[in-house]
Amino acid sequence: MNINHIAKKPFFDLFYRSPCMALMLRAAFHDAGTFCKNSKTGGPRGTLRHSHDLDRPENAGLDFAMDQIEEIKDEGNHITAMLSYSDLIQLGGYTAVEYTGGPVMLFRMGRKDAEDHDEHTPEDRLPDVREGSSNILTKMHRMGFTTQEFVALMGSHTLGFAHQDRTGFQGRWTQNPHVFDNTYYKEVLLGERSKFLKTPVEHMLAQNSEMKKLCEAYAQDQNLFFEHYALAHVKMSELGQEEHLLSEFEENQPKYKLPESSYLQLNSFSDPQKY
Ligand code: HEM
């Protein structure tokens, strides 16, 4: 067992008990997605644990994920006890993808939490699905993502649900919201013929010719999607923290591996929309 395996173990145990993988992945994006590449502010700094960030409307529902992070910090193991909050939130995202059958991303620890407990993440950084597609894309570019990385990251919506009382949208994007695969793109390309959720983001992906081509490529080739997704996800999780990260890996070691098997036990999900 290497450090990555030991660090991920408490999250595997959590997901076996409570299948909150999608919520944990969303929390990872909401802690990291506040990054601005020009001012180098925001990013994964653990500010989501403070009520001034957690109580914002865009973070509705993430309190359950943060409670689990606190529990793992207190009662995980000797490796998770050493990790910062921002490390733990990002580790939760990595493990959620791995647990549901997605790429196995190699985690680098060492993120520094925001030093000042009163530090507020600047408002209006996270994309809001109601604000129109060009604003959403502008915000993803402000974080430093290319259009290709944006399209790859959207495939994370293969997992989970939208909840009316959190964002005003209701439903799921794919048939099986507990499996990380490329079905999100297949549903996007089906357009009106798909019975699953379509927000303005899905309409943009299907209508913009550059994005549509990427969706077609990912829908046809799951390994290509996993490769692009893993690289974009690792980038997201390290935004603005690169200089602090400790690496247990050799220089040329790949940042991810394709999954060999899924840890998923579908029968264990008695109440899939509970989280
Ligand atoms: C343009 C950027 C994005 C927009 C506009 C967006 C929008 C949304 C919305 C509206 C929901 C429904 C939330 C709810 O009602 O509970 C959602 C859920 C979710 N998002 Fe995103 N998202 C974006 C990017 C991302 C990224 C980059 C990730 C991860 C890498 C991500 C992961 C998720 C997951 C896993 C869920 C399901 C959560 C659950 O089941 O509780 N999203 N997103």
Side-chain angles (χ1 to χ4, degrees):
M1 259 206 191
N2 67 21
I3 291 182
N4 253 255
H5 287 127
I6 301 170
K8 287 173 180 172
K9 173 87 171 48
F11 285 98
F12 277 102
D13 294 343
L14 165 69
F15 297 148
Y16 186 75
R17 286 193 314 272
S18 314
C20 57
M21 296 81 74
L23 195 68
M24 200 58 83
L25 179 55
R26 184 162 195 246
F29 173 54
H30 282 220
D31 205 46
T34 55
F35 187 67
C36 167
K37 68 173 181 189
N38 298 324
S39 63
K40 304 263 187 287
T41 54
R45 292 162 58 75
T47 51
L48 201 53
R49 79 184 197 276
H50 298 307
S51 56
H52 47 65
D53 273 27
L54 192 55
D55 293 346
R56 288 182 183 168
E58 65 265 31
N59 294 326
L62 296 181
D63 46 337
F64 182 85
M66 294 314 297
D67 288 347
Q68 306 314 304
I69 294 285
E70 287 290 355
E71 211 172 300
I72 288 176
K73 178 117 180 114
D74 291 344
E75 294 165 24
N77 58 36
H78 61 291
I79 299 294
T80 49
M82 293 188 313
L83 300 181
S84 62
Y85 282 95
S86 40
D87 271 345
L88 285 171
I89 296 168
Q90 294 311 317
L91 183 60
Y94 278 46
T95 316
V97 172
E98 183 171 334
Y99 188 86
T100 51
V104 179
M105 295 173 283
L106 301 184
F107 185 74
R108 297 201 298 163
M109 61 187 79
R111 289 166 193 73
K112 292 223 176 310
D113 286 339
E115 277 168 24
D116 180 354
H117 279 223
D118 292 331
E119 180 180 320
H120 292 224
T121 302
E123 298 213 23
D124 196 33
R125 287 279 173 92
L126 285 167
D128 180 336
V129 78
R130 286 157 296 198
E131 68 191 353
S133 49
S134 70
N135 278 352
I136 288 173
L137 202 54
T138 304
K139 286 187 173 178
M140 295 302 282
H141 287 157
R142 179 167 69 189
M143 289 171 217
F145 293 116
T146 62
T147 299
Q148 180 196 291
E149 288 167 336
F150 162 67
V151 177
L153 284 172
M154 286 305 100
S156 59
H157 291 143
T158 185
L159 296 183
F161 297 85
H163 307 78
Q164 180 71 40
D165 56 335
R166 296 180 190 166
T167 51
F169 289 92
Q170 181 67 38
R172 59 195 149 111
W173 289 270
T174 60
Q175 175 72 32
N176 194 333
H178 291 300
V179 175
F180 194 99
D181 60 15
N182 63 348
T183 49
Y184 172 80
Y185 301 103
K186 295 179 182 173
E187 296 298 339
V188 163
L189 294 169
L190 278 177
E192 295 304 316
R193 287 175 292 132
S194 161
K195 61 181 179 183
F196 296 107
L197 179 63
K198 297 284 169 289
T199 72
V201 174
E202 284 71 46
H203 294 304
M204 168 169 60
L205 292 176
Q207 280 159 14
N208 174 296
S209 64
E210 181 189 357
M211 295 185 197
K212 189 173 173 203
K213 272 196 198 118
L214 287 161
C215 290
E216 285 165 351
Y218 297 153
Q220 274 164 26
D221 184 346
Q222 179 159 282
N223 284 353
L224 180 73
F225 163 50
F226 279 8
E227 182 185 328
H228 288 189
Y229 178 83
L231 294 174
H233 185 132
V234 169
K235 175 173 169 176
M236 171 185 96
S237 78
E238 299 185 348
L239 287 171
Q241 291 276 5
E242 296 82 352
E243 64 185 284
H244 303 301
L245 295 171
L246 313 170
S247 180
E248 58 161 318
F249 308 116
E250 311 208 347
E251 200 130 292
N252 294 324
Q253 195 164 357
K255 290 182 176 169
Y256 72 94
K257 287 187 293 185
L258 294 176
E260 282 163 20
S261 61
S262 173
Y263 299 86
L264 197 65
Q265 304 208 357
L266 287 173
N267 294 342
S268 65
F269 301 140
S270 50
D271 187 358
Q273 203 168 350
K274 194 166 152 201
Y275 306 98

